[in-house]
């Protein structure tokens, strides 16, 4: 069942490709390879992928999330439909993958269904991620009808006791009911979309539930269960969040007994050549690790996306990546 759903998802993805998109991807990939080899930033092409933030609002208080902790230093708010359409119009012809998520809970923006449908009409493979607290019967129907290709639903525990250790303020039964609502509307509308992924953030507090979660995801008719290693902000210190099983941890014990990244930080990052993040108020930032938009490349109220993408700030930032990536704060906790 899951393998069959994955095949249909792959078919939906391929159908949205075009010669223009494939040529653009080739240009982007080659320019990245040349940059790494030469040690100098060279860039051709337009973004292959984009993440757009519908809102910073969220009803939960997750301990490793700036949105949940209300610790943003940047403004909070919701993206207007006209601003979203403007971004898609400027980037969509070559865009392969669009994620409607950065910080916050996307479903809380009432424009989310129109945003998804607008991208769908433009032939862009579109995904979003939700905490699952707002997948009512009506919202589930609208998501299925919107043309959404992929839906990632966070569920980090099979029961309330474990779930609320991280998803503070959430109700795991609401998440389960929301997943059932999506499955039911897919059946009723005869739709194979969205491809539903249950994302299980593996922590020390919930890793014992992985076998039970595998069973539950099948019962809920999810298309895939994704076990995700957690990002921990102050990972150098001993923390209860990092799981014991090394397979599910981004970190390992170093020589001084402190935690350190499992993967070494290399002076390269394809994301800086292939995609970007746009916040709800039009700030273009290079990476999803830049939660506070400290590395703002430009703002869309003053410039076009292409002017920012090819601008001096972006070029200098890509050069920093090639020279010494470990000096960049947002890269020090990156698993890529």
């Amino acid at each position: 069942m899951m393998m069959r759903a994955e095949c249909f998802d792959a078919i939906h993805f391929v159908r949205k490709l075009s010669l223009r998109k494939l040529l653009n991807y080739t240009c982007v990939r080659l320019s990245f390879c040349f940059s790494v080899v030469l040690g100098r930033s060279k860039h051709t092409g337009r973004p292959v992928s984009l993440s757009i933030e519908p809102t910073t609002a969220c009803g939960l208080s997750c301990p490793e999330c700036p949105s949940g902790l209300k610790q943003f230093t940047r403004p909070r708010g919701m993206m207007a439909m006209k601003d979203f359409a403007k971004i898609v119009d400027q980037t969509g012809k070559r865009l392969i993958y669009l994620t409607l998520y950065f910080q916050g809970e996307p479903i809380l923006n009432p424009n989310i269904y129109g945003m998804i449908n607008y991208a769908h009409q433009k032939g862009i493979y579109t995904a979003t991620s939700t905490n699952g607290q707002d997948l009512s019967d009506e919202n589930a129907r609208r998501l299925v009808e919107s043309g959404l290709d992929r839906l990632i639903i966070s569920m980090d525990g099979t029961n309330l006791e474990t779930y609320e250790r991280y998803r503070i303020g959430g109700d795991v039964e609401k998440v389960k009911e929301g997943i059932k609502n999506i499955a039911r509307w897919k059946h009723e509308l005869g739709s194979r979309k969205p491809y539903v992924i249950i994302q299980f953030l593996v922590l020390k507090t919930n890793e014992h539930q992985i076998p039970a979660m595998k069973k539950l995801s099948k019962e809920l008719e999810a298309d895939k269960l994704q076990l995700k290693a957690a990002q921990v902000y102050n990972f150098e210190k001993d923390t209860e969040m990092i799981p014991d099983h090394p397979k599910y941890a981004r970190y390992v014990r170093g020589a001084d007994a402190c935690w350190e990244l499992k993967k070494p930080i290399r002076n390269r990052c394809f994301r800086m050549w292939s995609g970007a993040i746009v916040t709800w108020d039009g700030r273009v930032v290079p990476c999803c690790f830049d939660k506070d938009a400290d590395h703002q490349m430009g703002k869309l109220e003053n410039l076009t996306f292409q002017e920012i993408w090819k601008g001096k700030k972006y070029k200098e930032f890509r050069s920093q990546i090639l020279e010494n990536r470990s000096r960049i704060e947002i890269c020090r906790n990156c698993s890529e």
Side-chain angles (χ1 to χ4, degrees):
M1 179 68 176
M2 288 187 175
M3 183 63 70
R4 187 180 179 190
E6 194 166 329
C7 289
F8 279 111
D9 179 55
I11 291 170
H12 292 146
F13 180 81
V14 170
R15 281 178 176 172
K16 293 191 173 183
L17 295 176
S18 66
L19 181 59
R20 177 183 286 178
K21 291 180 180 182
L22 291 172
L23 287 174
N24 179 64
Y25 177 83
T26 302
C27 289
V28 171
R29 175 60 75 173
L30 286 174
S31 67
F32 169 70
C33 293
F34 282 131
S35 297
V36 172
V37 171
L38 298 173
R40 297 195 308 272
S41 177
K42 301 287 182 182
H43 193 281
T44 56
R46 303 288 184 92
V48 172
S49 63
L50 205 62
S51 293
I52 300 177
E53 179 180 65
T55 181
T56 54
C58 184
L60 303 188
S61 300
C62 306
E64 292 293 320
C65 176
S67 180
L69 294 173
K70 312 298 186 289
Q71 290 182 347
F72 284 124
T73 58
R74 61 183 172 94
R76 303 170 194 166
M78 293 194 181
M79 179 173 281
M81 183 65 204
K82 63 179 179 62
D83 294 329
F84 173 80
K86 184 179 177 181
I87 298 166
V88 172
D89 289 345
Q90 290 184 19
T91 61
K93 289 182 180 180
R94 294 175 178 83
L95 201 62
I96 293 176
Y97 196 104
L98 173 65
T99 302
L100 275 165
Y101 171 73
F102 178 32
Q103 296 297 291
E105 170 50 51
I107 308 300
L108 294 180
N109 188 325
N111 297 311
I112 189 66
Y113 311 101
M115 291 175 173
I116 294 167
N117 189 253
Y118 192 82
H120 171 66
Q121 295 299 326
K122 295 288 184 178
I124 305 167
Y125 187 95
T126 306
T128 192
S129 179
T130 175
N131 59 33
Q133 296 298 307
D134 298 280
L135 294 177
S136 64
D137 186 68
E138 174 65 13
N139 289 349
R141 179 185 64 80
R142 295 182 72 185
L143 278 176
V144 175
E145 290 178 336
S146 70
L148 182 67
D149 292 291
R150 177 169 293 203
L151 179 62
I152 301 169
I153 305 172
S154 297
M155 186 163 68
D156 313 315
T158 60
N159 55 34
L160 183 60
E161 180 183 3
T162 302
Y163 176 83
E164 67 178 358
R165 292 287 298 274
Y166 185 78
R167 302 286 169 181
I168 299 170
D171 184 347
V172 72
E173 295 305 320
K174 275 189 176 182
V175 185
K176 293 176 184 178
E177 188 61 32
I179 297 171
K180 291 177 183 177
N181 289 338
I182 294 288
R184 183 172 65 255
W185 278 111
K186 284 172 68 175
H187 289 309
E188 291 195 18
L189 296 172
S191 177
R192 298 189 183 278
K193 301 192 306 181
Y195 182 70
V196 176
I197 299 174
I198 294 179
Q199 183 172 271
F200 185 83
L201 195 65
V202 183
L203 308 164
K204 183 177 287 189
T205 55
N206 67 9
E207 60 183 320
H208 64 284
Q209 289 191 339
I210 290 176
M213 181 56 76
K214 289 179 179 179
K215 180 181 178 183
L216 179 60
S217 65
K218 292 179 181 178
E219 293 174 355
L220 295 174
E221 296 186 69
D223 297 313
K224 181 179 179 179
L225 172 64
Q226 180 173 285
L227 302 176
K228 184 178 179 181
Q231 177 196 5
V232 180
Y233 282 102
N234 296 315
F235 66 86
E236 295 91 344
K237 300 178 181 178
D238 199 354
T239 172
E240 292 184 358
M241 299 197 61
I242 300 175
D244 293 323
H245 199 303
K247 178 181 178 180
Y248 303 117
R250 293 189 185 200
Y251 315 96
V252 294
R253 291 286 189 184
D256 57 358
C258 290
W259 292 102
E260 59 184 38
L261 280 173
K262 186 184 293 184
K263 294 182 180 180
I265 299 175
R266 302 191 299 168
N267 293 334
R268 63 190 66 181
C269 180
F270 184 56
R271 288 185 183 182
M272 300 305 104
W273 274 254
S274 64
I277 312 292
V278 183
T279 65
W280 73 271
D281 56 349
R283 300 163 193 257
V284 178
V285 296
C287 177
C288 61
F289 281 83
D290 192 8
K291 315 292 187 187
D292 274 318
D294 293 323
H295 298 274
Q296 184 176 308
M297 300 292 109
K299 199 167 183 183
L300 291 172
E301 68 177 6
N302 306 317
L303 301 164
T304 66
F305 190 93
Q306 182 66 359
E307 286 172 334
I308 296 170
W309 185 243
K310 294 293 185 180
K312 183 180 178 182
K313 280 191 175 181
Y314 238 127
K315 184 176 181 179
E316 290 176 347
F317 191 83
R318 293 185 184 111
S319 295
Q320 289 178 46
I321 292 289
L322 296 171
E323 291 167 8
N324 193 337
R325 188 171 159 222
S326 61
R327 287 183 180 178
I328 303 171
E329 182 62 33
I330 60 172
C331 297
R332 294 176 188 168
N333 197 0
C334 180
S335 58
E336 296 296 326

